[in-house]
Amino acid sequence: MQKLDRITVGGLLDRIATKFPDHDALVYTDRNLRYTYHQFNQLCRQVAKGLMALGLKRGEHIAIWATNVPEWVTLQFATGKMGAVLVTVNTNYKTFEVEYLLKQSDTTTLVMIGGTKTSNYINIINELCPELRDSQPGQLNSARLPMLKNVIFIGEDTPAGMWNWRDILAMANQVTDEELDARQASLDPDDCINMQYTSGTTGFPKGVMLTHFNIINNAHSIADCMNFTEQDKLCIPVPFFHCFGCVLGTMTCVVSGATMVPVEVFHPVRVLETIEQERCTAVHGVPTMFIMELEELNKKKYDTSSLRTGIMAGSPCPIEVMKAVVNRMGAREITITYGQTEASPAITMTRTDDPIDLRVTTVGRTIPNVEAKILDPETGAECPPGVQGEICARGYNVMKGYYKMPEATAQAIDANGWLHTGDLGVMDHNGYFKITGRLKDMIIRGGENIYPREIEEFLYTHPLVKDVQVVGVPSAKYGEEVLAFIQPKEGANLTKEEIQAYCQNKIAKYKIPSYVLFTDSYPTTASGKVQKYRLREKAIRELGLEELANIETA
């Protein structure tokens, strides 16, 4: 059994930088940027001292709202040295969601880029904090976000009221190395160091509190399952704001001394170019990403012969896609990981030496030091092999809890420490798991967790909507798409296009219903509860999606 590592994120980076000082730590092929582990560690120390100079205390919350830029990775390990909790913000979030997250998380400092192709972050933050434009950097006094004091901008042309990232680097000389070392030494591996918002299976997004101990040991297990060493180079096109990016990606590289090769914003061509140029040995992605990369390989030849392994995860993995990644991209040791943010995130994983049929049809066995079992949702009794039930997990990887949500935490983690995932699955006689569905009705679209109630609550604000039920329907590209069944108010004439237009720029693009069907009633139980599974079946029939519904996944 793998020995658990009681170290902090800052201590881990020090250890690896001492062991592999001249080895590449972080490479951006399109920026011509390359840091060795020694250089990367020194840069993270500089940022950590800058944050201390800004006045950030151990345990204070600092949010990062950016694509996979170099500053994201640096901040992840800098906060791991000086003890602020890194709160990750989904790059797709719009005003409503950003306000909720910053307020609920008690964030005092926000680090951000200018925006993406579909979102202007500067406009959003100025809409939330109109006081920012007239504030001195560090002295924001916002009515809507009273805890937020600092906004740090990554990029040129710093907007009014914000610090620039370069200011933080310059402030580092106000703090001595001894002061940083003392701060780092005061941290405990059981401190929360990372907070990620997940829709989970109930209600509005919840802040999952993950500790140094959670994520470092999960990364060790992931690295072991992939046979990762300092010789590996991992292409990371999955977003850092998910555990997939910042645990299975960056942290897994650092625990093994491997090289991080991020792609700032996913594009299949950029991924294939990066693999070819840097001779990456591994690549991560949700099934949607791999499908697009395979389509690109049909159009043009790229040299992916350096690939050995990687992880496909985030939503159910179609078996044929797994086979194509092995055969056409050459990733003969590709693995599948199953888990959730609340589990830091991995619970089970296939191994590189598993037979190919198990690697494409299951999500593997439990990772070291983690237990998992299948429980009957009705009785709570443990299910025998081959019988479907809810997957529950226990071990070092289970989160500290949901931030400021003790009741939700108690619902997720029982008195004996078992995390109830809300996912349905079966386990075979050899301990291999298959995911068969979800206990509740969460939608997973292209690796993004979407909770229907959040979209329903939003659509209820439309003046002509009487009632709405949101379900997921199968999609070849994304695994699932959002569908809204809407009951219009009497006499109202609504169209799909009007509903979609109403959502634009108010909720994240991936949450906007791809399909809208109008109805005058919903199927219900005897007690009047809407039967969403029947709505889903009806939608599949009406939209002719039967073939997609029958695609076999692991």
Side-chain angles (χ1 to χ4, degrees):
M1 185 64 77
Q2 172 189 315
K3 189 172 181 290
L4 292 170
D5 195 0
R6 286 203 64 81
I7 197 169
T8 62
V9 168
L12 172 76
L13 184 55
D14 288 341
R15 178 205 287 169
I16 297 297
T18 302
K19 193 174 178 184
F20 304 112
D22 302 323
H23 194 80
D24 284 341
L26 182 64
V27 174
Y28 280 78
T29 57
D30 56 339
R31 288 181 177 232
N32 201 20
L33 182 153
R34 191 176 295 270
Y35 293 129
T36 64
Y37 266 102
H38 173 74
Q39 291 167 332
F40 182 62
N41 193 32
Q42 291 306 307
L43 178 61
C44 292
R45 286 181 63 85
Q46 186 181 359
V47 174
K49 290 195 290 183
L51 295 173
M52 287 170 67
L54 201 57
L56 266 70
K57 304 283 188 283
R58 168 184 172 174
E60 201 165 323
H61 292 179
I62 177 168
I64 173 83
W65 190 18
T67 51
N68 290 7
V69 293
E71 292 85 355
W72 208 115
V73 198
T74 312
L75 189 65
Q76 179 183 6
F77 288 90
T79 51
K81 287 180 173 295
M82 52 69 67
V85 178
L86 188 68
V87 181
T88 63
V89 186
N90 189 314
T91 53
N92 299 298
Y93 274 6
K94 304 289 187 196
T95 314
F96 175 76
E97 297 140 322
V98 173
E99 179 179 16
Y100 170 82
L101 181 145
L102 294 176
K103 192 176 283 181
Q104 205 280 333
S105 66
D106 295 324
T107 286
T108 64
T109 301
L110 170 66
V111 180
M112 59 180 277
I113 59 172
T116 62
K117 275 184 181 174
T118 57
S119 276
N120 187 316
Y121 296 176
I122 298 167
N123 287 351
I124 290 174
I125 201 67
N126 280 322
E127 184 186 336
L128 289 174
C129 305
E131 307 92 343
L132 186 62
R133 286 193 186 92
D134 301 316
S135 302
Q136 288 300 309
Q139 294 175 23
L140 175 62
N141 203 344
S142 166
R144 284 167 80 170
L145 298 170
M147 294 286 284
L148 186 64
K149 296 300 168 197
N150 301 295
V151 181
I152 301 168
F153 185 71
I154 298 168
E156 304 303 318
D157 303 322
T158 314
M162 300 188 193
W163 299 105
N164 190 281
W165 180 260
R166 291 186 297 273
D167 299 328
I168 308 307
L169 294 173
M171 286 180 202
N173 60 19
Q174 298 171 27
V175 174
T176 65
D177 284 335
E178 291 74 21
E179 285 172 305
L180 173 59
D181 292 341
R183 171 75 70 89
Q184 186 174 311
S186 75
L187 307 184
D188 188 303
D190 293 322
D191 289 343
C192 172
I193 196 62
N194 185 227
M195 210 155 91
Q196 305 205 18
Y197 275 77
T198 175
S199 298
T201 51
T202 51
F204 282 91
K206 298 183 283 292
V208 176
M209 296 186 286
L210 300 177
T211 66
H212 300 263
F213 192 63
N214 285 149
I215 59 178
I216 288 171
N217 285 291
N218 211 255
H220 274 302
S221 291
I222 300 296
D224 285 354
C225 289
M226 290 197 294
N227 284 333
F228 239 43
T229 72
E230 72 279 6
Q231 299 303 312
D232 282 295
K233 292 182 175 184
L234 174 63
C235 178
I236 314 173
V238 290
F240 290 153
F241 65 77
H242 274 316
C243 270
F244 201 169
C246 68
V247 181
L248 279 65
T250 57
M251 197 62 66
T252 295
C253 285
V254 172
V255 297
S256 47
T259 306
M260 302 172 267
V261 191
V263 172
E264 281 181 40
V265 178
F266 172 76
H267 189 283
V269 172
R270 281 292 309 121
V271 174
L272 293 164
E273 286 174 347
T274 301
I275 292 167
E276 180 176 86
Q277 192 175 330
E278 199 55 33
R279 303 293 295 153
C280 292
T281 61
V283 60
H284 286 356
V286 298
T288 311
M289 292 178 173
F290 282 108
I291 290 166
M292 291 168 77
E293 288 152 22
L294 290 163
E295 284 173 352
E296 202 55 48
L297 280 172
N298 287 336
K299 299 177 196 167
K300 187 182 170 188
K301 187 166 168 36
Y302 293 86
D303 183 359
T304 60
S305 60
S306 57
L307 283 180
R308 173 183 68 81
T309 187
I311 298 173
M312 190 185 298
S315 59
C317 304
I319 290 163
E320 292 310 311
V321 177
M322 280 293 288
K323 288 178 179 171
V325 171
V326 171
N327 297 326
R328 292 185 47 220
M329 291 180 77
R332 60 198 178 281
E333 296 179 7
I334 191 85
T335 60
I336 289 183
T337 306
Y338 159 72
Q340 55 185 199
T341 309
E342 290 88 339
S344 307
I347 296 170
T348 71
M349 189 165 175
T350 56
R351 274 59 166 181
T352 55
D353 57 357
D354 277 332
I356 184 70
D357 61 319
L358 284 174
R359 282 197 289 120
V360 300
T361 61
T362 77
V363 293
R365 297 168 281 142
T366 52
I367 59 173
N369 298 297
V370 170
E371 303 171 83
K373 61 183 180 181
I374 306 276
L375 292 188
D376 184 315
E378 301 295 320
T379 65
E382 193 164 345
C383 298
V387 175
Q388 177 180 273
E390 183 185 13
I391 299 171
C392 297
R394 182 168 70 177
Y396 72 82
N397 60 333
V398 174
M399 65 172 176
K400 201 162 190 171
Y402 294 120
Y403 185 62
K404 297 195 305 189
M405 291 186 175
E407 287 107 356
T409 302
Q411 282 173 0
I413 305 168
D414 68 25
N416 295 314
W418 287 95
L419 172 69
H420 291 250
T421 66
D423 290 315
L424 293 170
V426 292
M427 182 178 70
D428 70 13
H429 287 278
N430 297 315
Y432 285 83
F433 286 77
K434 265 191 137 170
I435 310 303
T436 54
R438 285 186 295 282
L439 201 54
K440 298 282 171 61
D441 52 358
M442 187 175 71
I443 299 164
I444 302 181
R445 180 191 182 277
E448 294 281 7
N449 290 359
I450 301 170
Y451 189 68
R453 184 179 150 200
E454 198 182 345
I455 303 171
E456 289 163 359
E457 297 279 354
F458 173 73
L459 289 175
Y460 278 128
T461 65
H462 191 292
L464 300 181
V465 169
K466 175 183 167 187
D467 201 357
V468 56
Q469 295 291 331
V470 169
V471 296
V473 292
S475 157
K477 186 173 183 181
Y478 293 108
E480 281 187 299
E481 292 275 16
V482 177
L483 180 146
F485 273 101
I486 290 177
Q487 280 189 30
K489 286 185 177 169
E490 202 166 333
N493 279 317
L494 269 174
T495 65
K496 167 188 165 183
E497 289 72 25
E498 284 173 287
I499 292 296
Q500 290 172 329
Y502 184 74
C503 297
Q504 286 295 335
N505 298 318
K506 297 196 186 79
I507 60 173
K509 193 176 177 187
Y510 66 89
K511 295 178 188 173
I512 297 175
S514 300
Y515 301 101
V516 179
L517 296 176
F518 297 97
T519 184
D520 51 11
S521 64
Y522 300 120
T524 58
T525 62
S527 61
K529 197 171 180 186
V530 174
Q531 295 173 304
K532 287 204 168 181
Y533 74 93
R534 285 182 57 195
L535 279 177
R536 187 173 186 273
E537 289 166 359
K538 181 184 178 191
I540 288 168
R541 282 195 312 273
E542 287 191 18
L543 298 168
L545 301 174
E546 290 90 349
E547 200 174 315
L548 289 176
N550 293 325
I551 290 175
E552 197 179 345
T553 59

